[in-house]
Amino acid sequence: MSKLYLIPTPIGNLEDITLRALRILRDEVQLVLAEDTRKTGMLLKHYGISKPMASYHQHNEHRVLEQFVSRMLAGETMGLITDAGTPAISDPGFLLVRECIKAQLPVECLPGPTAFVPALVNSGLPADRFVFLGFLPHKKGRLKRIASLVESPYTTVLYESPHRLLKTLTQLAEVLGGGRQAAVARELSKLHEETRRGTLDELIGHYGNTTIKGEIVIVIGAAQTEPAADEEETIYSES
Ligand code: SAM
């Protein structure tokens, strides 16, 4: 039976694609839906895979959804690939998944690269319970979203662009207090990967004095309203 695969691709290091992702791209997928066909074409070429591709991105997804779902219903298996990481995580994909489920088409997201997991784990902040907020809105609702973290008992993960990092850290410090623990993960899996940990004020002090380049994830510690994770029981499995 035909199916939709969501296929995670490397966020920087080309070794980070899984063996299964390569096999499914090679042997099972008849059409690759790509956020950027040029980028995905180069990636597939790197792994020695040649497949027909079609564009699927935020500017055409509403328009092309129905056509791709009909083709899958008629028997084609498709693989969705975004520019980096896992499709539908701050990337196109959700609408297609929802339409496939409505049409009773099987959907399978392969496990694989995504930026927020290594950023969260490297931060050293409790990773047993966390909230992922993706990108903050640029204008409307931005401060409200930040204010929702004032008493949050969870570690929070945000995506950010380098040119907005300082502004965002400054707004976070204004609302949450400059003493809140945080971490900035930059260029994960790439040559210049770094994780900088400290209070929001310390991070502002550092990034205020440096040119900020590369891709960024911000991790913010929980408000100190509950016992810290190491003071209470952490459950690792159901048994
Ligand atoms: N789908 C992707 C995922 O699974 O992580 C996210 C796509 S979103 C359009 C791009 C954002 O992810 C970047 O602006 C940055 O916040 C984060 N990101 C992607 N690659 C990264 C990397 N190598 N290092 C740090 N952050 C990264």
Side-chain angles (χ1 to χ4, degrees):
M1 191 187 186
S2 58
K3 176 166 185 172
L4 172 69
Y5 286 104
L6 289 97
I7 304 177
T9 53
I11 58 166
N13 187 325
L14 290 175
E15 291 178 4
D16 286 338
I17 196 143
T18 69
L19 296 174
R20 189 149 81 101
L22 293 176
R23 181 184 58 74
I24 282 167
L25 276 166
R26 231 178 243 126
D27 300 342
E28 300 206 15
V29 159
Q30 277 123 30
L31 179 71
V32 172
L33 304 181
E35 186 180 12
D36 179 335
T37 50
R38 205 182 53 91
K39 271 195 188 159
T40 299
M42 282 176 356
L43 191 79
L44 294 183
K45 193 168 171 213
H46 176 86
Y47 299 117
I49 296 170
S50 160
K51 278 285 146 147
M53 278 189 288
S55 290
Y56 182 87
H57 47 67
Q58 61 169 339
H59 304 295
N60 77 352
E61 56 181 344
H62 289 274
R63 192 159 37 83
V64 296
L65 264 184
E66 216 182 288
Q67 171 204 330
F68 290 135
V69 170
S70 305
R71 285 174 60 173
M72 279 185 261
L73 284 170
E76 261 179 284
T77 285
M78 299 189 184
L80 176 62
I81 292 185
T82 51
D83 288 352
T86 300
I89 300 298
S90 295
D91 262 342
F94 155 69
L95 291 179
L96 188 59
V97 168
R98 190 175 62 179
E99 286 308 300
C100 285
I101 293 168
K102 263 193 216 157
Q104 301 196 327
L105 278 161
V107 171
E108 186 173 348
C109 178
L110 303 185
T114 189
F116 75 86
V117 173
L120 170 68
V121 175
N122 287 342
S123 74
L125 294 164
D128 53 342
R129 290 172 296 164
F130 65 94
V131 176
F132 173 68
L133 292 184
F135 290 97
L136 288 174
H138 293 172
K139 292 196 176 100
K140 199 164 172 268
R142 183 177 170 89
L143 288 177
K144 205 169 156 192
R145 193 80 51 98
I146 295 177
S148 74
L149 310 182
V150 171
E151 294 195 346
S152 172
Y154 308 119
T155 303
T156 301
V157 185
L158 299 178
Y159 282 170
E160 194 47 282
S161 68
H163 69 272
R164 264 200 209 89
L165 175 65
L166 201 54
K167 175 182 165 185
T168 300
L169 290 175
T170 306
Q171 286 181 331
L172 287 167
E174 280 164 11
V175 180
L176 309 180
R180 182 75 76 99
Q181 289 296 317
V184 172
R186 213 172 53 79
E187 297 287 79
L188 287 159
S189 80
K190 302 185 196 176
L191 189 62
H192 298 293
E193 167 165 355
E194 84 171 357
T195 297
R196 193 158 281 274
R197 308 167 185 90
T199 63
L200 286 169
D201 279 346
E202 286 165 348
L203 293 169
I204 291 166
H206 173 77
Y207 288 108
N209 288 312
T210 175
T211 313
I212 308 164
K213 285 196 203 138
E215 298 197 274
I216 285 177
V217 183
I218 303 176
V219 186
I220 305 151
Q224 291 299 319
T225 53
E226 284 198 347
D230 55 358
E231 291 165 28
E232 61 178 40
E233 187 191 11
T234 301
I235 299 165
Y236 293 112
S237 72
E238 283 178 74
S239 54

